[in-house]
Amino acid sequence: MREDEDTVEILRRQFCNADLARPLRHGVRDALRQALPTMVDIELMDDALIIVSELVQNVSQHTAGPGELVISLDTASVLIEVGDISTTVPCPRRPEPERSGGRGLLLIEALAQQWGVRTCPDGKAVWARLPAASNIPYPSAV
């Protein structure tokens, strides 16, 4: 989802299907704090970490292969992308009250400014864009 040449990637991590999201969330938190030390507020951080958790968990629950997490910044937003080897495009569904799952994409939809899926021959990437503080100086790569 790199539409703009002003986008800077600040984190890229591979993960295995059964890996926990916690180490990836720590990496995201640290990368955002380092790239934008005075601009990352608690709400943005919480939203980013929830989205990372949901997208990584979806890879573990719904695919048989590894995934990749990429975090990028531009002058107005944080872009979270999680790629995997499945070509099945996820879609939000109506959660069943008695089931604990099925709410992840609805949560992402509620938190993100935009979200979507980019397909490719060997898989897909689900992405979510969060608005960052206005007038972000051009981030430096970490």
Side-chain angles (χ1 to χ4, degrees), residues 24 26 35 38 49 53 58 80 82 84 91 104 106 122 124 128:
L24 294 170
H26 289 300
T38 62
L49 298 179
S53 293
N58 282 352
I80 301 165
V82 175
D84 62 62
C91 59
L106 295 173
D122 56 345
K124 68 174 174 307

Side-chain angles (χ1 to χ4, degrees), residues 15-87:
F15 60 94
C16 294
N17 184 279
D19 286 353
L20 298 175
R22 183 180 305 180
L24 294 170
R25 287 194 319 255
H26 289 300
V28 169
R29 184 192 64 227
D30 294 345
L32 286 172
R33 283 184 180 160
Q34 189 171 2
L36 300 170
T38 62
M39 296 298 210
V40 178
D41 63 23
I42 292 295
E43 186 175 328
L44 170 65
M45 187 69 74
D46 288 347
D47 292 351
L49 298 179
I50 290 168
I51 289 171
V52 167
S53 293
E54 292 298 330
L55 292 177
V56 169
Q57 183 176 349
N58 282 352
V59 171
S60 292
Q61 285 185 322
H62 302 292
T63 73
E68 181 177 58
L69 168 68
V70 180
I71 306 294
S72 303
L73 302 173
D74 63 26
T75 57
S77 64
V78 175
L79 178 63
I80 301 165
E81 299 174 280
V82 175
D84 62 62
I85 62 169
S86 171
T87 57

Side-chain angles (χ1 to χ4, degrees), residues 108-125:
I108 290 168
E109 193 171 80
L111 295 174
Q113 182 180 44
Q114 297 174 297
W115 79 276
V117 181
R118 184 181 68 253
T119 60
C120 58
D122 56 345
K124 68 174 174 307

Side-chain angles (χ1 to χ4, degrees), residues 54 57 61 93-104:
E54 292 298 330
Q57 183 176 349
Q61 285 185 322
R93 59 181 182 204
R94 187 177 184 156
E96 298 174 26
E98 56 278 346
R99 287 191 62 212
S100 62
R103 293 164 178 80

